[in-house]
């Protein structure tokens, strides 16, 4: 079984970061080792959240794993709380990286033109250094602008997106996938670039007129799970985009939907059916 390490916070309630990565990637048949960077009562979009920083635990935990000779097929980072934490994570990546390890960075720090409450420009610059050592990065357009010192604009065309992809590629990663790219009315999706093969990829879904927290983390988790299943990066992005679109649609139809996240728990079985060879999973019933 493939084994991945994911490094991000636990927002105890909020359907984001580790509380989506762990169930989704595990359900995709991939062992998911977690390195929690902090424990928050909720994600930071709630007022009055508590936060216990676990930065001082990262190195001792990793040291123990080293003694156990643990090897990861992929390392996936998400929301990281501080600049110092990014430095620690960079070091952990270089310690655990082998020639076969996929390093996947979701520079989760901003949306809709603004940084999340806990972050500033110093943090954004540090996140660019983390992106530089990744194989794959998946920023949304806002994050891409902060990472590349580009002015954020609500409206853009395909040339702007390719420009942004070029600047992101200069940071150093091999595959860059921009999320939340809307190139025609009523559509949204992902626009990717493989800097080694010099190939573009794009995929668009119908845009739902609602924004749900945690969908970026769900998207990344599905991409990592799919890549770990040996699926190409283009197909992994397509599966993740379709899964997020489907999950948002299901959530919109739920009269009891929480305001803080989507009903991904209801759609995990549909995701598994999308994986090659898993269209009719065997039953555990005798
Ligand atoms: O979904 C990204 C995320 C993860 N973790 C925490 C957050 C956010 C976004 O706001 O606050 C704690």
């Amino acid at each position: 079984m493939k084994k991945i390490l994911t490094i991000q916070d636990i927002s105890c309630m909020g359907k984001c970061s580790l509380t989506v990565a762990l169930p989704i990637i595990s359900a995709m048949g991939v062992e998911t080792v977690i390195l929690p960077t902090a424990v928050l009562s909720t994600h930071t979009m709630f007022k009055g959240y508590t936060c216990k920083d676990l930065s001082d635990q990262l190195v001792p935990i990793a040291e123990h794993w080293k003694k156990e000779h643990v090897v990861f097929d992929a390392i996936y980072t998400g929301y990281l709380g501080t600049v110092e934490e990014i430095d620690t994570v960079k070091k952990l990546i270089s310690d655990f990286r082998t020639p076969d390890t996929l390093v996947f960075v979701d520079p989760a720090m901003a949306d809709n033109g603004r940084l999340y409450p806990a972050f500033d420009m110093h943090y954004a610059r540090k996140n660019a250094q983390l992106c530089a050592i990744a194989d794959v990065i998946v920023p949304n357009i806002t994050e891409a602008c902060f990472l590349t010192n580009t002015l954020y604009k609500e409206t853009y065309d395909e040339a702007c997106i390719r420009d942004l992809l070029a600047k992101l590629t200069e940071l150093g990663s091999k595959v860059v996938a921009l999320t939340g790219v809307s190139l025609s009315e009523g559509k949204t999706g992902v626009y990717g670039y493989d800097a080694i093969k010099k190939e573009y990829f794009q995929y668009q879904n119908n845009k739902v007129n609602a924004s749900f927290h945690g969908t970026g983390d769900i998207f990344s988790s599905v991409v990592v799970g799919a890549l770990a299943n040996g699926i190409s990066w283009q197909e992994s992005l397509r599966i993740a985009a379709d899964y997020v679109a489907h999950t948002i649609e299901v959530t919109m139809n739920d009269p009891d939907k929480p305001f803080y996240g989507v009903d991904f728990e209801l759609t995990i079985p549909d995701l598994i059916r999308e994986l090659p060879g898993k269209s009719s999973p065997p039953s555990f019933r005798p």
Side-chain angles (χ1 to χ4, degrees):
M1 186 184 292
K2 289 283 173 67
K3 187 204 300 284
I4 70 118
L5 165 64
T6 181
I7 310 175
Q8 38 189 325
D9 68 278
I10 298 181
S11 291
C12 297
M13 185 172 77
K15 302 199 194 204
C16 69
S17 42
L18 283 182
T19 63
V20 300
L22 185 53
I24 288 175
I25 302 171
S26 299
M28 295 174 85
V30 177
E31 181 180 347
T32 310
V33 176
I34 62 167
L35 189 51
T37 53
V39 181
L40 294 88
S41 51
T42 62
H43 58 57
T44 59
M45 297 293 136
F46 284 78
K47 282 207 177 77
Y49 63 88
T50 68
C51 178
K52 171 72 180 163
D53 182 48
L54 299 178
S55 297
D56 65 349
Q57 293 302 304
L58 306 185
V59 172
I61 291 172
E63 288 303 319
H64 182 206
W65 290 340
K66 280 183 204 162
K67 287 197 188 111
E68 295 291 327
H69 306 292
V70 181
V71 177
F72 301 111
D73 296 292
I75 300 175
Y76 155 35
T77 69
Y79 182 104
L80 300 171
T82 61
V83 163
E84 294 72 31
E85 207 162 86
I86 296 180
D87 276 330
T88 309
V89 168
K90 279 171 59 192
K91 169 85 171 55
L92 293 184
I93 290 172
S94 83
D95 287 355
F96 280 94
R97 193 174 212 165
T98 73
D100 299 323
T101 311
L102 176 91
V103 176
F104 183 102
V105 171
D106 179 353
M109 63 175 169
D111 209 356
N112 302 314
R114 294 163 59 166
L115 287 166
Y116 292 150
F119 302 138
D120 58 16
M121 274 316 292
H122 181 41
Y123 179 90
R125 279 191 291 274
K126 186 54 85 172
N127 225 345
Q129 293 177 11
L130 182 61
C131 290
I133 61 165
D135 295 304
V136 182
I137 61 171
V138 288
N140 60 34
I141 293 183
T142 305
E143 288 157 351
C145 289
F146 279 109
L147 289 169
T148 59
N149 270 323
T150 306
L151 188 69
Y152 174 82
K153 287 184 292 186
E154 289 285 337
T155 52
Y156 48 82
D157 58 14
E158 194 164 353
C160 295
I161 293 299
R162 288 196 173 202
D163 237 31
L164 206 43
L165 284 171
K167 287 189 194 168
L168 286 164
T169 305
E170 280 168 23
L171 294 178
S173 62
K174 298 185 190 91
V175 170
V176 177
L178 260 181
T179 61
V181 177
S182 172
L183 289 175
S184 53
E185 190 67 28
K187 297 276 179 187
T188 187
V190 51
Y191 206 120
Y193 181 63
D194 183 329
I196 307 288
K197 294 191 179 147
K198 304 200 179 341
E199 279 172 10
Y200 289 97
F201 167 82
Q202 66 158 308
Y203 186 71
Q204 300 268 297
N205 289 101
N206 288 334
K207 187 174 186 167
V208 181
N209 235 349
S211 143
F212 286 99
H213 209 75
T215 48
D217 300 346
I218 291 173
F219 177 86
S220 292
S221 301
V222 173
V223 178
V224 169
L227 290 171
N229 271 280
I231 298 171
S232 71
W233 67 265
Q234 294 93 334
E235 181 66 3
S236 298
L237 292 174
R238 187 195 63 74
I239 292 172
D242 281 347
Y243 177 65
V244 170
H246 171 58
T247 303
I248 290 176
E249 201 181 305
V250 167
T251 306
M252 296 288 278
N253 290 328
D254 174 4
D256 298 324
K257 59 179 163 296
F259 72 91
Y260 51 80
V262 288
D263 289 350
F264 74 97
E265 300 88 342
L266 298 179
T267 55
I268 284 183
D270 306 331
L271 170 64
I272 306 314
R273 277 191 290 273
E274 273 296 299
L275 299 178
K278 304 266 171 58
S279 55
S280 54
S283 168
F284 53 79
R285 247 182 285 149

